[in-house]
Amino acid sequence: MAPSRMKVFTSTLCTTLHTPAFEFLSGSETHFFESPDRRDVILKYLESQGDAFEVTERVEDFGAGPIERVHKQDFLDYLKTAYEEWIQEGGHPNGVLPGTIPHYKVARLGKLKAANCLAKSGEYCFDMSAVITKDTFKAAWNAAQVTLTAAKDLVRAADEYEKSVEAGSTTRENPPGLYALVRPPGHHAQSDICGGYCYLNNLAIAAQWLIDQPDLKSNADGGPKRIAILDIDFHHGNGTQEIFYSVANPLYTSLHSVDDYPYFTGSALEKGEGEGLGFNINIPLVQATTNDDYVETLDKLIQDHVIPFKPDYILVSLGVDTYKDDPIAGFLVTSEGYPRIGNSIRKIGVPTLFIQEGGYCIEKLGLNVGGILLGYMGKTGSL
Ligand code: Q9C
Ligand code: ZN
């Protein structure tokens, strides 16, 4: 039998350390949509679902190594010291927010050496939604460590699953699932630039760590573990795409909205480069995409690209900003759609780690995230 409870990895630091006061939406100042309450309402919903979930706040310290495999040292140094330097230079205590971003039409003419924090804030951030507050770096670091802790447990769960399949006590239809309930999210963070509420790319750090483990061999070819990324957040994961653009493992796949944030990436023509050519799959969907269209496209993506890749593990960038009432997005997926999405992922039959990204309709956030996870377990939720 596959374990009937899904393990949830989280930490109260995901709620307490990163609480920006505001953001800008279409030119107007508004509350910060990526709010600390998001983690609490998701947790509350999961804990209300009988014994479907097993929550742990155990966080292992993997140190800087796995983070430095994905992010550049100068960027990490910047994130770590930015707030302090900003304050020293007379910046507002609300946090570091870029005023001047080196637009390429300007940068091609000028010098690109950032002399102070005000300049660096533009060099290392691509928009105005990733303010750096006093403890933002600690929060992002903690989220990465929680995700790594979950990734390590994925290895254990997958091994157990393999053994019980061999022993005939379960079938390949019940792969184990785990969930990293973290914030700040990660999929917009590139190797050396933050943005879109994201600072460190939690999923990319976990994926690289799994690939790097010398003792872990792929069931498919005996090489490093093969990882397929399924990015189902409403927005394109420009960060994850950039980090893995020129490698053949992991495979990056994304369903996201066309002509929406982050606007300048996510086209189907971005297919990867060098050894990575063919291992970056973008499927932009029209605004107002519905349950049926979403699930049909997801199933086709899985059949055409994910299964042929022969992954050992699936890592999901779990965003539910695809929800019909999300305040910053535009799809029409309903709460009935999420268990169907989870079920489609279950049918791949491969051990899966879900990692929290976006989703901003706070009233339905728990129900929608829970819907995907319960759907993956072949269960349905209750209110
Ligand atoms: N008109 C994630 O979901 N602002 N990031 C967009 C929309 C930033 C989204 C404005 C949205 C970032 C992880
Ligand atoms: Zn999003």
Side-chain angles (χ1 to χ4, degrees):
M1 269 298 289
S4 55
R5 304 178 83 188
M6 182 182 282
K7 261 204 198 172
V8 178
F9 292 80
T10 189
S11 149
T12 49
L13 300 184
C14 293
T15 298
T16 55
L17 288 181
H18 178 61
T19 60
F22 60 86
E23 67 172 272
F24 298 101
L25 190 64
S26 303
S28 107
E29 188 180 325
T30 173
H31 70 279
F32 189 63
F33 285 102
E34 200 284 281
S35 100
D37 302 342
R38 297 175 62 250
R39 183 251 183 192
D40 297 346
V41 299
I42 294 170
L43 197 56
K44 200 168 157 214
Y45 180 82
L46 300 185
E47 284 175 335
S48 77
Q49 296 307 299
D51 57 3
F53 298 96
E54 179 188 340
V55 179
T56 176
E57 298 230 0
R58 181 181 66 79
V59 184
E60 230 174 282
D61 184 7
F62 289 74
I67 296 172
E68 290 169 354
R69 282 284 287 141
V70 161
H71 292 288
K72 295 194 183 141
Q73 193 60 54
D74 60 325
F75 171 64
L76 293 171
D77 292 343
Y78 163 75
L79 283 182
K80 193 172 185 173
T81 56
Y83 185 80
E84 209 177 313
E85 280 182 29
W86 175 262
I87 295 298
Q88 274 165 15
E89 288 173 16
H92 195 282
N94 271 340
V96 182
L97 204 59
T100 309
I101 292 171
H103 193 282
Y104 69 95
K105 293 175 194 168
V106 174
R108 72 187 172 204
L109 302 172
K111 58 175 181 135
L112 257 179
K113 184 94 188 71
N116 50 41
C117 190
L118 206 45
K120 281 189 218 161
S121 68
E123 182 181 347
Y124 290 115
C125 190
F126 66 81
D127 76 352
M128 289 179 74
S129 71
V131 63
I132 301 171
T133 63
K134 184 167 174 296
D135 290 322
T136 293
F137 183 67
K138 278 188 196 149
W141 191 271
N142 176 67
Q145 300 294 343
V146 171
T147 309
L148 284 162
T149 305
K152 188 171 167 184
D153 205 58
L154 172 69
V155 175
R156 180 203 55 76
D159 285 350
E160 241 170 50
Y161 174 62
E162 244 355 275
K163 284 192 192 109
S164 50
V165 170
E166 276 162 32
S169 52
T170 192
T171 63
R172 292 214 181 269
E173 277 117 64
N174 297 301
L178 300 89
Y179 173 46
L181 172 47
V182 291
R183 66 174 288 278
H187 78 148
H188 295 304
Q190 300 189 177
S191 56
D192 62 353
I193 192 160
C194 62
Y197 310 145
C198 303
Y199 306 86
L200 299 178
N201 196 315
N202 304 311
L203 182 146
I205 292 164
Q208 190 63 54
W209 181 84
L210 288 164
I211 290 169
D212 284 346
Q213 296 314 296
D215 300 337
L216 297 183
K217 301 288 180 230
S218 169
N219 292 335
D221 61 10
K225 287 289 186 189
R226 296 174 67 77
I227 295 173
I229 299 167
L230 217 47
D231 190 328
I232 58 172
D233 187 279
F234 173 82
H235 305 102
H236 179 241
N238 61 290
T240 316
Q241 165 170 299
E242 182 254 358
I243 289 164
F244 297 125
Y245 207 60
S246 56
V247 292
N249 181 28
L251 168 73
Y252 177 74
T253 72
S254 177
L255 295 184
H256 52 268
S257 176
V258 69
D259 295 333
D260 207 306
Y261 183 91
Y263 300 107
F264 305 105
T265 65
S267 124
L269 299 173
E270 296 153 26
K271 294 176 189 294
E273 66 188 13
E275 286 176 12
L277 187 61
F279 296 94
N280 193 89
I281 312 292
N282 285 329
I283 305 190
L285 297 166
V286 294
Q287 293 285 343
T289 288
T290 57
N291 289 350
D292 285 351
D293 289 342
Y294 193 94
V295 172
E296 193 182 306
T297 312
L298 175 62
D299 285 340
K300 188 164 161 40
L301 170 69
I302 288 169
Q303 285 308 324
D304 292 354
H305 297 284
V306 177
I307 291 174
F309 182 74
K310 298 195 171 70
D312 298 290
Y313 304 128
I314 308 280
L315 266 50
V316 177
S317 262
L318 170 49
V320 290
D321 35 15
T322 46
Y323 182 54
K324 68 178 177 60
D325 293 329
D326 194 277
I328 66 167
F331 282 175
L332 295 177
V333 175
T334 68
S335 297
E336 288 73 44
Y338 291 107
R340 294 175 59 190
I341 293 170
N343 187 48
S344 289
I345 299 172
R346 176 183 66 84
K347 284 189 297 188
I348 306 170
V350 172
T352 298
L353 171 58
F354 295 88
I355 300 166
Q356 188 61 46
E357 303 282 2
Y360 309 100
C361 177
I362 200 93
E363 293 78 17
K364 294 292 163 65
L365 190 52
L367 176 69
N368 294 342
V369 169
I372 292 190
L373 302 177
L374 289 161
Y376 180 86
M377 290 187 277
K379 300 180 185 189
T380 48
S382 60
L383 273 175

